[in-house]
Structures are given as C-alpha cells and as structure tokens.
Amino acid sequence: MKTLLTTAALLALAAPAFAEGDPAKGEKEFRKCKACHMIVDDEGETIVRGGRTGPNLYGVIGRTAGSVEDFRYGPGLEAAAEDEFTWTEEEVAVFVADPSAWLEEQGYPKRSKMTFKLRKGGEDVAAYLASVAE
C-alpha cells in the first residue's frame, strides 16, 4: 500500500502542471477574440457574434487543427491538420499566447494568419470554448 501511494505521488509530481481555466472569466476575455472569431453552433445559432477573419471556434476543443471547412489557414495550421493534431484546452491556451512560437515548438511552419497574442487568460478562454460546445 505504501509503495502504491509513493508511486501515485511521484506520478502526480511528474505530470505537467496546468491550471484549469475559469469559463466565466474566459467569456469576458473572449471579447478580444471576437474581433476575428465567431461562435456559431452546428444548428446555425449564433452564440457569439464576431468577425470572419478567423474560423468559427464552436467545438474547437477536440477538433483537428485547421479543419474548419471553407476556411483558408496559414501553412502552420495546414501542416497540423495533415498530422491530424487535435486541440485540447491546454494546447489552445498555449497557442493563443503566441501562435507562431507554438507552431514552431510543434515542428510546424511558424507562419500563421493569427497574429494576435493573448498574453494572459488563455486557459480561461479555452475553458470557455470547451463550455459552449458541451
């Protein structure tokens, strides 16, 4: 039993620390995102009216990167789509902080159409995006 607890404790310490986001705070932070992005559900109901410069973010968590039909992505997200990279809340939070750096770290071309960097609150925005598609 002692070995089991020690192993569990070591695994918990080895796991990367990632703070869970707050969807309510993320909804407020998303105001910065809606200049380029909208959130429209699969039935066509507008959840957040926004721009069309960026893709619809409904269902982005769990979706393959660069896969919104009829949206033209930059080379980095096109490469991620070819690899069938799937967005998680954690990866979205890191991506929105610096899209080019994230792409480069993943080994994709660092060119992205998204030039905006969300310096803080990325985990909250990711939690909000996950909550609207539940």
Side-chain angles (χ1 to χ4, degrees), residues 1-133:
M1 181 70 166
K2 188 175 182 180
T3 304
L4 180 62
L5 291 174
T6 303
T7 303
L10 288 173
L11 287 174
L13 291 173
F18 189 81
E20 288 187 25
D22 180 340
K25 289 180 182 176
E27 183 175 12
K28 291 177 185 171
E29 275 303 308
F30 191 78
R31 292 179 192 153
K32 298 171 186 172
C33 308
K34 71 180 190 171
C36 297
H37 297 278
M38 81 293 285
I39 303 175
V40 178
D41 71 15
D42 295 336
E43 287 77 40
E45 182 180 334
T46 299
I47 297 167
V48 175
R49 185 178 314 277
R52 297 188 184 270
T53 304
N56 178 10
L57 294 180
Y58 182 81
V60 67
I61 308 300
R63 182 169 71 206
T64 301
S67 65
V68 171
E69 197 170 312
D70 297 327
F71 186 81
R72 296 195 60 200
Y73 291 91
L77 287 176
E78 286 177 349
E82 288 174 17
D83 279 354
E84 297 181 7
F85 176 85
T86 302
W87 289 115
T88 63
E89 285 185 52
E90 293 82 7
E91 293 295 339
V92 167
V94 176
F95 176 79
V96 299
D98 190 340
S100 294
W102 181 89
L103 288 166
E104 187 172 40
E105 288 168 9
Q106 302 302 315
Y108 301 126
K110 71 182 225 177
R111 286 192 43 228
S112 171
K113 289 185 175 184
M114 184 166 153
T115 57
F116 180 78
K117 296 177 184 178
L118 186 63
R119 296 290 180 197
K120 62 179 184 167
E123 62 277 349
D124 297 328
V125 170
Y128 170 65
L129 291 171
S131 75
V132 295

